[in-house]
C-alpha cells in the first residue's frame, strides 16, 4: 500500500470509474467457486519486502478459500469494519472495493469504513467508535505502528480478528493478537523504479530523489530500495540531489528547486505518483523534455504520460484491489480457525510504455480510460 | 495587536446577536443528539460506552478550547496550539524515556507549552506583532522542531502511571479524560465569569483602549492568555501522549482549526469582548458527536464531510431563525 | 496664597511635529471647580490626558501638593487620586453597566471570586443617587450615548478621587441630568474634591465654576475668577475675536400650506416610540425637544430605516414610502446625522477626507474611477467651511479633537445635499463659535428650500434655530409649539418636563 | 456578521501601526531576496528561470489573495477558497473531458467558484451567520463534493489550449501565470483604491454601522466580496488544472491559510478597514521566495519549517523596530 502520510492522495488514480462499480461486478461474476486473488498476476516474481518483524513474505497467490469454506463463513453472519489511515486516494478506494467485493461473497457485512486522515489520534477514535458496532473483523492500516498500538490491542482483547495492510502495530503478535499483514511489495516496487531509471539512462547519469520526509514504513522502504539498487547495481548513476516532501502538492516546488540547482540532472525518482505529477510540471516548465521520471503507483495522469512516451518513463505498481481480496481471505482464515501466514505480499508490477494498457487492466480490473488508450496508439 | 477593535454593531442588532449566540449551540447540540438517538438507536450510538468515547475523543479539543476562549475573547488568535501538542507529546515521552519519572514527564510536557506560550505572549505584547502572524510563524517553528527532535519517529511511552493519568485511565467507569475536561472547564468558566482577570479579559477584547483607560493592564492580560493557551496545548499534548502511549509529531495536526471552530460555534466572538467557556465545550462536543454519529451511520468520507459541513451551517441558521421570533 | 493642590508648569506637546500645547501652565486649588475653556482643538483634552498619563508631555512638570510627580500611565494617575471622565468614552460596550463601573475595582471575596451581587447593588445605589434610570445589568453597547455619559459619570464618582476631571460631561445630557450632576459637583466640592470642568456650554460654566482657564491654539490665554470675567470676554479669549450674534432667534418665513415634505403618521417602533405624528414643511426647521430617553433618537432611527417600524406610515413629498434601510431613506432624499459620532458617525481609522466623501462616493466619478481631485476639493471645502482643525484632509479622523470629529460628521451630510436633513444632537462637543456657525448653516439650508429636523438637548440652541418645536415624551408627541409662542426657555422646559 | 467591530486603537498607536504595516512587507521581501541572492548565488537562485518559477508557484495564492484582501478588508474571512480550487479544477477538467470545449471548461471552473461564492455571500448577509462558520462549513462541503464527484480520482486534461492559457504556457519567456497574476493584481488594486466600491469595502470593514448610516449597502458589499473570493478561487482552480494538466480534489489543500497569511503579512488588518492588494501580492511572493530559497538551500523539511517560521516573525519584528525610529 502506498499509504503515504499527510494528506496525500497517492496513487493509482482513475480507478474510480473502474473501482467503485465495475470491479465489484467482476467479483460477483465469479460468485461461486473458491476465492483467490486475480490469477493473471504473475507469480514467478520474487518478493523483496520483509515483514514488520523481518518475516519473509508469502505470496498472496497462495491464499485460497474453497467453496465449502466460503459457505461455512456465510453461516456466521459476520460483521467487518474497515479502518483506513486515509481514504482519499485510489489506492484506498481500490483496496476497499476489493475488500467489500470479497466480503460480500463471504456473506460478511461491512458495517463501517473510517478515514483517519493520517491522524493517529483520529484513528484511535475511529477504532473506539467502530467497536460500538461490535464487529467480528477489523481490516486496518495503522497510521503509526507505535501510537495506535494500544487501541488495536484493546480491539484484539475484545476478540476482534485483526488483519492489517502494509504494517502491524508495535507489540502485537501475529497469530495471537492479529491474523496477518498483507503488503504490497514496496521494496520490490522501489527496485522496479530504479531499474527502469537505469535502463532509460543507459546506466549512466545524475539523478535526484524526492522522498517522503516522514517516519513512514511504506514510503521509506521504497526510497531505500531505489537508492540501494542504484548504488549497488549502477555505480555510474549518481544520486546528486535529495529533497523531502510532506504533502503531495509539494512535488513541483521541490523538483523545480532541484532542477534550478542541478540543471544537468538526468532523472528524478519520486516516491509516489502524485508528487511525480508535480515533478512532471516542473520538468515541462524547465523545458526538460529529456528528463526521466520514475515513480510508484499507476495513476491516471502518470499512466497517460507513460502511454504517450512522455517524461515519466515507467513505474512500479501495486495491486490494491487484489491486496484487498487477500486481506478478506485472511480474515476468512481467522474465522475458520485456519492457520494463516504472518506476512503476505502482493507482487510488484513493472509498468512501462510497452505494457501500460495491460498493467492498467491488471491493477484496476478494467480497461484503461479512453484518453490513455488514445495516447498509447 | 495593532488592529484592535471595538464593537460597532447597532445596539439593537448587538442585543439580538448576543441572544442567539448564547443559546444556539445548546439547541444545536441537543438537536444533533436527538437526531442520532432516533436514527442510530439500533447501532449503539446511545450506549454509555459510545457516549464516553465521544467525551474521550473531544477532550483535547475541549481543553484547548477553554484556553482559546480567553485568547479569542481578547480579540486575538492562537494558531500554534496544534503544533504545541505535538512537541509536548514528544518532550513528555522523551523525558519519560530518559527515566526522569512521572514528574519529569509532566514538567517536560507542560514546560514545553508554557515556554512557547511565553514566547508567543512576549512577541505579541512587547514587539507588537499581530498574533495571527506570531502564532502562524510559531506553528511552523514548533512543528519543525517536533519533526526534527526525533527525526519524525514516534517515541513510545511505557510509564503506566503516566498513561493512566493522562489519557488512558478510567476511574470507575468514568474516563480520566472526561474528568480532566470537567476540571479544566469548571476552572476556565470560573476564571472567565467570576474573577477580575476574566472580566478584564473580556474588557480588553471589548474595547482595548477603554479597558486601558480604566486601568486594565491589557498587555499583561494578553500575555497571560497566550501563556494559558500554550500551557493548555502542552497539557493536551500530554493527554494525546497518555492516550496513545506515545509521543508523535503529527498529534494535534489541524487541531487549531477545530479548536477555533468549537470556540466560535460556542458563541465567543472572533472580534473579542464576548466569550463563553461552557459554549466552547458544548461546541467541541457537538462536533465530536457529529463525527461519531456519521461514522456509525456508515457514510463515506466524502459524504461525512458534506453532511458535517451542512449540519454546522444549518444548525446555526436554524437556531438563528428560531431565536429571531 | 495657599499652595495649589495641583500645578502643571510649562507643558508642551507635539504630535508629528505639530505643537498642540505650547508651554501651558495650569493650577488647581483644593475644593474648587476650575473650568478649562477653549475652541475645538485648543488642546484641552490633550492637557488633561497628560495629567492622567494617557499621553506624556514633551516638556514641563507636574506638581501635586508641591511635590513633583511623574505620571506615565493611568495607574500613576490613580495613585495620585486623579480620575477622569473621558470625552471619548472609556466604557467597554460588551460589558454591563455595573461591570464597567467597577472594572478593575470589582468587589470580590477572599479567594478572588467576584461578588456580582454586591457590584450590582453598589451600582444601583450610585445610579439612584444620580437619578438615572438604568438597569445595572444592561449591556453598555445597547444603551444610548446619554446613558453612556451617565455611566461614565457614575464610574468616575465611584472612585475616590481628589482631582476629578470632567471632559464635556454634559454634552449629551438634557437639562434635568445636568442639574443632578451639578448638585453632585457641589457635594463633592464640599468634601474638598477639586474638579476640572471642560464644557462648551457657556451658561454652565458660570453656574458651576470658581475659576476659568482659557486656551487658544495650544497656548494659555488667561486664568480668571468667574466673578471677575464676563461671558463676552471668555468668548473673545477663546475665539480671538468678538462673536456678536450668538444664539439669537430670527423669524423666518415659509409656507405651511400644501403638502408637507415629510409626514409621519402614528409611527411606532420598539418600546420607546409609541405613537408619533408630525409634519415637516419645505423650508422649515422643526425642533424636537424631550427628556433623555424620551425616544427622540429612536424616532429618527425608525424614520431612517435603522430600527424596524412596527406601525405607522411615512410620507415623503406626499408619497408613501416604506423605508427599510438607510439606503431606502437616502434614496427618498433623507439624511441623518446620528447622535453617536464614534459608533455611527465616523470611521475613526480612516482619514478626514474619506469620511467626508463616504455618503457621496458613488457620485464623484470620472468614468468608473473615483475622481480623487474632486474628492479632495470637496473635503477641503468643508474643512474650511466648518473650520475643522486638522493638519490636512488626510489626517486620521480618530486623531482629531472631539469637536472637530463632530464637525466631520456634519460635513459628510452637508456634502450630500439632501432634501430633508435630520440632525440628532448636531452640536455635541462643538465650540461656541462653531455652534453659531452651524446654526447659520442650518438656516441657510432652510432658506434654500431644504427641510430640517433638529433634535437637541441644549435648549438655547434649539430655541435659536427652530421655527417650530415638537415635544416628545415617552414616545409620543405631547406638544407642538410655534417658536413665536415661546417667550422664554422656561416655557419650553416646562413643556419638556410635562409640568406645565 | 453579528459581531462586527470598529477600531478602537489609541489614535497614536494606530497612526504608528498604519505606518509600519504599510511598508514592512516590502522591506522584508527585499531583505529576503538580498539574503538568498548572497547565500545562494552559486546555486541558481538568481537565475531568471528560478525567479519565474517563484512567480509561477505563487500565482494561485496571489490571485486568491487579491480577492481575500477585499474579504478581510470588510472584517470577514473566507476559509472555503482552498476547497473551491479543488472542486473547480475538477469541474473544469470534467467539462473538457465531456467535450464542452475551451469555453465549457472555463465556464465550469469559474461557474463553480461563482456559485459557491454566491451561497457563502447569501448565508453571511441574508441569514447573518458569522463568515467563519459559513465558510468553515462550506470548506467541508466543497471538499466532500470534490472527493465525491470522481470518487477521489483525478481527471486528466488533454486540451492543450486550456493548459496553455491557464497555467502551463509562456508568452515569449513570460509565464502566463505571471501575466494572470499581474492582471488580477492591477484590477484588484484599482478596484480597492480607485473606485467607490473599494472605498465602500474599506468603510464597511472600518465601521459597519457608520458605513450603513452613510448609505453604504454593507450587505451588498459583503455579498460581493464573497462572490469575488469564490470566483477567484475558481479561477485559481483552473490555473492549478492548467498547470498540472489535470483536476484533482487535493489541489489547493491548506491554501486558505497561506492566502490569509499573505494578506495579513501584506498589511491588511484582520479586523477590517485597512487593506492593500499590492501588499498581499508581495506577501505571497515573499512566502514563495522563502519556500524556494530554503529548498534550494537543501534544508530538511523540518529545518525548512523552523526557518520559515523564524523568518516571518523576525522580518515583521525587525521591520517594526526599524520603522519605530
Ligand atoms: N494622537 C494625536 N495625534 C495627532 N494629533 C493629535 C492627537 N491627539 C490630539 N491631536 C491634535 O491635537 C489638537 C488638540 O486636540 P484636543 O483633543 O486636545 O482638543 P480639545 O481642546 O479637547 O478640542 P475639543 O473641544 O474639540 O474636544 C487637535 O488639533 C488634534 O487634532
Ligand atoms: N433597548 C434598546 N435597543 C436598542 N437601542 C437602544 C435601546 N435602548 C436605547 N437604545 C439606544 O439609545 C439611544 C437613544 O437613547 P435615549 O434613550 O437616550 O433616547 P433619546 O430620546 O434619543 O434621548 P437622548 O437623545 O437625549 O439620549 C439610541 O441611539 C438607541 O439606539
Ligand atoms: Mg476635547
Ligand atoms: Mg438621542
Amino acid at each position: 500500500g502506498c499509504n503515504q502520510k499527510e494528506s496525500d492522495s497517492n496513487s493509482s488514480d482513475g480507478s474510480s470509474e473502474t473501482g467503485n462499480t465495475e470491479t465489484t461486478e467482476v467479483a460477483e461474476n465469479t460468485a461461486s467457486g473458491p476465492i483467490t486473488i486475480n490469477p493473471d498476476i504473475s507469480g514467478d516474481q520474487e518478493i523483496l519486502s520483509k515483514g514488520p518483524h523481518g518475516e519473509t513474505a508469502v505470496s498472496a497467490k497462495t491464499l485460497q478459500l474453497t467453496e465449502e469454506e466460503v459457505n461455512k463463513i456465510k453461516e456466521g453472519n459476520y460483521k467487518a469494519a474497515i479502518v483506513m489511515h486515509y481514504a482519499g486516494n485510489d489506492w484506498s478506494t481500490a483496496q476497499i472495493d476489493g475488500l467489500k467485493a470479497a466480503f460480500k461473497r463471504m456473506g460478511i457485512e461491512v458495517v463501517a469504513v473510517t478515514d483517519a486522515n493520517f491522524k493517529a489520534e483520529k484513528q484511535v477514535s475511529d477504532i473506539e467508535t467502530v467497536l460500538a458496532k461490535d464487529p467480528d473483523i477489523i481490516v486496518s492500516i495503522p497510521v503509526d505502528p507505535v501510537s495506535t498500538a494500544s487501541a488495536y490491542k484493546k480491539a484484539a482483547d475484545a476478540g476482534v480478528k485483526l488483519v492489517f495492510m502494509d504494517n502491524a502495530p508495535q507489540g502485537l503478535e501475529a497469530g495471537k493478537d492479529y491474523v496477518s499483514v498483507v503488503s504490497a511489495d514496496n521494496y520490490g516496487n522501489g527496485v522496479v523504479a530504479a531499474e527502469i531509471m537505469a535502463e532509460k539512462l543507459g546506466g549512466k547519469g545524475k539523478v535526484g530523489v524526492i522522498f517522503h520526509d516522514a517516519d513512514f514504513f511504506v514510503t521509506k522502504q521504497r526510497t531505500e530500495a531505489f537508492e540501494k539498487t542504484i548504488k549497488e547495481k549502477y555505480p555510474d548513476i549518481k544520486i546528486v540531489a535529495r529533497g523531502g516532501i510532506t504533502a503531495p502538492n509539494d512535488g513541483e516546488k521541490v523538483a523545480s528547486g532541484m532542477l534550478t540547482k542541478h540543471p544537468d540532472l538526468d532523472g528524478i525518482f519520486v516516491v509516489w505518483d502524485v508528487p511525480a505529477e508535480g515533478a512532471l510540471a516542473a520538468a515541462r516548465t524547465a523545458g526538460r523534455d529529456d528528463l526521466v521520471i520514475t515513480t510508484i503507483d499507476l495513476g491516471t495522469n502518470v499512466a497517460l504520460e507513460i502511454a504517450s512516451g512522455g517524461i515519466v518513463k515507467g513505474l512500479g505498481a501495486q495491486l490494491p484491489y487484489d491486496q484487498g481480496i487477500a486481506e478478506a481471505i485472511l480474515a476468512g482464515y481467522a474465522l475458520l480457525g485456519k492457520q494463516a501466514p504472518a506476512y503476505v505480499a502482493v507482487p510488484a508490477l513493472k509498468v512501462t510504455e510497452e505494457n501500460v494498457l495491460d498493467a492498467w487492466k491488471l491493477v484496476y480490473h478494467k480497461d484503461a480510460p479512453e484518453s490513455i488508450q488514445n495516447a498509447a496508439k | 495587536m495593532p488592529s484592535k477593535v471595538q464593537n460597532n454593531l447597532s445596539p439593537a442588532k448587538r442585543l439580538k446577536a448576543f441572544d442567539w449566540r448564547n443559546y444556539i449551540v445548546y439547541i444545536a447540540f441537543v438537536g444533533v443528539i436527538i437526531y442520532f438517538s432516533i436514527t442510530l438507536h439500533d447501532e449503539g450510538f446511545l450506549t454509555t460506552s459510545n457516549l464516553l468515547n465521544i467525551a474521550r475523543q473531544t477532550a483535547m479539543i475541549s481543553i484547548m478550547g477553554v484556553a482559546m476562549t480567553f485568547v479569542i475573547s481578547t480579540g486575538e488568535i492562537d494558531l500554534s496550539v496544534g503544533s504545541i501538542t505535538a512537541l509536548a507529546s514528544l518532550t513528555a515521552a522523551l523525558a519519560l524515556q530518559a527515566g526522569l519519572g512521572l514528574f519529569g514527564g509532566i514538567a517536560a510536557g507542560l514546560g514545553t507549552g508554557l515556554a512557547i506560550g511565553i514566547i508567543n505572549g512576549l512577541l505579541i505584547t512587547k514587539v507588537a506583532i499581530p498574533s495571527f502572524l506570531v502564532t502562524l510563524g510559531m506553528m511552523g517553528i514548533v512543528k519543525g522542531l517536533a519533526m526534527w527532535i526525533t527525526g519524525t519517529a514516534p517515541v513510545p511511552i511505557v510509564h503506566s502511571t503516566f498513561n493512566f493519568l493522562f489519557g488512558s485511565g478510567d476511574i470507575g467507569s468514568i474516563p480520566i479524560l472526561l474528568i480532566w475536561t470537567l476540571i479544566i472547564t469548571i476552572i476556565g468558566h470560573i476564571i472567565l465569569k467570576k474573577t477580575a482577570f476574566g472580566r478584564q479579559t473580556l474588557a480588553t477584547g471589548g474595547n482595548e483602549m477603554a479597558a486601558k483607560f480604566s486601568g486594565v493592564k491589557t498587555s499583561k492580560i494578553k500575555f497571560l492568555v497566550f501563556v494559558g493557551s500554550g500551557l493548555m496545548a502542552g497539557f493536551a499534548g500530554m493527554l494525546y501522549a497518555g492516550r496513545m502511549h506515545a509521543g508523535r509529531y503529527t498529534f494535534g495536526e489541524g487541531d487549531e482549526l477545530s479548536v477555533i471552530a468549537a470556540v466560535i460555534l460556542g458563541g465567543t466572538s472572533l472580534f473579542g469582548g464576548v466569550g463563553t467557556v461552557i459554549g466552547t465545550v458544548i461546541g467541541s462536543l457537538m462536533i465530536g458527536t457529529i463525527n461519531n454519529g456519521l461514522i456509525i451511520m456508515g457514510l463515506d468520507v466524502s459524504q461525512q464531510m458534506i453532511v458535517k459541513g451542512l449540519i454546522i451551517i444549518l444548525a446555526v441558521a436554524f437556531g438563528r431563525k428560531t431565536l429571531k421570533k | 496664597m495657599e499652595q495649589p493642590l495641583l500645578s502643571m508648569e510649562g507643558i508642551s506637546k507635539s504630535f508629528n511635529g505639530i505643537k498642540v500645547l505650547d508651554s501651558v501652565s495650569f493650577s488647581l486649588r483644593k475644593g474648587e471647580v476650575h473650568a478649562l475653556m477653549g475652541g475645538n482643538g485648543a488642546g484641552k483634552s490633550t492637557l488633561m490626558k497628560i495629567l492622567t498619563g494617557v499621553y506624556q508631555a514633551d516638556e514641563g512638570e507636574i506638581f501635586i501638593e508641591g511635590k513633583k510627580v511623574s505620571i506615565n500611565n493611568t495607574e500613576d494617575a490613580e495613585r495620585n487620586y486623579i480620575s477622569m471622565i473621558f470625552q471619548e468614552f472609556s466604557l467597554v460596550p460588551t460589558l454591563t453597566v455595573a461591570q464597567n463601573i467597577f472594572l478593575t475595582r470589582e468587589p470580590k471575596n477572599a479567594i478572588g471570586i467576584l461578588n456580582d451581587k454586591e457590584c450590582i447593588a453598589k451600582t444601583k445605589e450610585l445610579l439612584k443617587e444620580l437619578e438615572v434610570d438604568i438597569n445595572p445589568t444592561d449591556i453598555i453597547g445597547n444603551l444610548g450615548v446619554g446613558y453612556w455619559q451617565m455611566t461614565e459619570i457614575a464610574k468616575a464618582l465611584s472612585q475616590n478621587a481628589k482631582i476629578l476631571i470632567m471632559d464635556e460631561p454634559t454634552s449629551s445630557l438634557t437639562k434635568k441630568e445636568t442639574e443632578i450632576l451639578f448638585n453632585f459637583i457641589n457635594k463633592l466640592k464640599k468634601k474638598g474634591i477639586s474638579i476640572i470642568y471642560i464644557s462648551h456650554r457657556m451658561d454652565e460654566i458660570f453656574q458651576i465654576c470658581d475659576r476659568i482657564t482659557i486656551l487658544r491654539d495650544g497656548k494659555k490665554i488667561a486664568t480668571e475668577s468667574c466673578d471677575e470675567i464676563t461671558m463676552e470676554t471668555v468668548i473673545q479669549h477663546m475665539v480671538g475675536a468678538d462673536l456678536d450674534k450668538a444664539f439669537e432667534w430670527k423669524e423666518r418665513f415659509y409656507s405651511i400650506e400644501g403638502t408637507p415634505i415629510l409626514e409621519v403618521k402614528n409611527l411606532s417602533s420598539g418600546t420607546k416610540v409609541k405613537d408619533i405624528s408630525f409634519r415637516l414643511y419645505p423650508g422649515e426647521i422643526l425642533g424636537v425637544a424631550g427628556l433623555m430617553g424620551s425616544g427622540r433618537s429612536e424616532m429618527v432611527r425608525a424614520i431612517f430605516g435603522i430600527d424596524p417600524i412596527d406601525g405607522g406610515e411615512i410620507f415623503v413629498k406626499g408619497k408613501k414610502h416604506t423605508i427599510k434601510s438607510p439606503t431606502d431613506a437616502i434614496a427618498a432624499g433623507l439624511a441623518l446625522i446620528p447622535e453617536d459620532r464614534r459608533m455611527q458617525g465616523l470611521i475613526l481609522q480612516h482619514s478626514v477626507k474619506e469620511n467626508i466623501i463616504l455618503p457621496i462616493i458613488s457620485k464623484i466619478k470620472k468614468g468608473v474611477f473615483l475622481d480623487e481631485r474632486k474628492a479632495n476639493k470637496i473635503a477641503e471645502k468643508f474643512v474650511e467651511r466648518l473650520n475643522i482643525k486638522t493638519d490636512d484632509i488626510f489626517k486620521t479622523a480618530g486623531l482629531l479633537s472631539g469637536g472637530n470629529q463632530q464637525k466631520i460628521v456634519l460635513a459628510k451630510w452637508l456634502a450630500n445635499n439632501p432634501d430633508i436633513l435630520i440632525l440628532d444632537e448636531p452640536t455635541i462637543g462643538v465650540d461656541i463659535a462653531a455652534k453659531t456657525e452651524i446654526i447659520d448653516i442650518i438656516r441657510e439650508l432652510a432658506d434654500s428650500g431644504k427641510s430640517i429636523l433638529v433634535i437637541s438637548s441644549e435648549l438655547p440652541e434649539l430655541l435659536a434655530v427652530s421655527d417650530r418645536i415638537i415635544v416628545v415624551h415617552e414616545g409620543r408627541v405631547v406638544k407642538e409649539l410655534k417658536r413665536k409662542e415661546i417667550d422664554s426657555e422656561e416655557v419650553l422646559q416646562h413643556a419638556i418636563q410635562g409640568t406645565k
Side-chain angles (χ1 to χ4, degrees), chain B residues 11 15 194 199 214 217 273, chain C residues 90 94 104 114 116 142 155:
Chain B
L15 196 69
K194 306 269 169 209
R199 201 50 66 70
S214 310
K217 293 174 185 144
Chain C
S90 68
T94 52
T104 71
L114 299 183
D116 279 330
N142 292 341
K155 182 176 166 187

Side-chain angles (χ1 to χ4, degrees), chain A residues 6-17 20 86-90 93 115 211 213 242 244-250 252-258 260-262 273-274 277-279 281-282 284-286 299-301 304 371:
Chain A
E6 311 306 296
S7 63
D8 39 299
S9 64
N10 60 353
S11 120
S12 13
D13 330 294
S15 68
S16 68
E17 308 141 48
N20 292 341
Y86 182 62
N89 59 34
D90 298 295
T93 310
D115 170 10
F211 65 99
D213 198 350
R242 297 185 88 244
I245 55 163
T246 49
N249 294 343
D250 296 343
E252 191 274 331
K253 290 186 190 101
V254 174
S256 286
M258 259 182 197
T260 298
K261 206 167 163 182
H262 304 279
D273 66 323
V274 181
E277 289 171 32
R284 275 193 213 119
T285 306
T300 312
N301 296 328
L304 189 64
S371 52

Side-chain angles (χ1 to χ4, degrees), chain C residues 15-16 20 38-47 49 55 87-88 167-168 200 389-391 395 399-404 429:
Chain C
F15 291 110
N16 310 311
V20 303
N40 292 129
K44 305 178 295 291
S45 298
T46 306
L47 186 67
K49 281 180 181 164
Y55 294 146
Q87 188 178 13
E88 307 90 17
D167 196 349
E168 302 190 33
H200 291 294
K389 197 176 170 206
T390 174
D391 308 340
K395 186 165 177 170
L399 298 183
L400 262 56
S401 80
N404 284 305

